[in-house]
Amino acid sequence: LWDNVWSDQGGDYEMTVSYTPEDNRSFVVYVNGQLTDGRHISLHPGYNRVEMTSSTTWMPDIDCFELKK
């Protein structure tokens, strides 16, 4: 859970998540409480909340995520 993801102007971003192990562990990504497709997210101006979770399997170890405008 990341409560402090900052965006100056908000808008649409492409998200890349780095994690291990790279096997068949699936997870979902919520941004500000809204379910996303995990690759394309929309941020509000200011602080945003990003949450990654899985209800079907153990979560992989998240190393980092990168956002590109």
Side-chain angles (χ1 to χ4, degrees), residues 17-34:
V17 181
S18 298
Y19 58 90
T20 58
E22 294 182 10
D23 59 6
N24 292 328
R25 295 188 190 181
S26 61
F27 58 93
V28 294
V29 178
Y30 290 89
V31 176
N32 299 319
Q34 299 295 314

Side-chain angles (χ1 to χ4, degrees), residues 1 3 10 12 15 17 27 29-31 37 40-41 44 52 59 61 69:
L1 174 65
D3 281 326
D12 296 330
M15 178 182 227
V17 181
F27 58 93
V29 178
Y30 290 89
V31 176
D37 69 4
H40 303 95
I41 66 170
H44 301 303
M52 298 177 202
M59 279 288 296
D61 295 324
K69 194 102 162 115

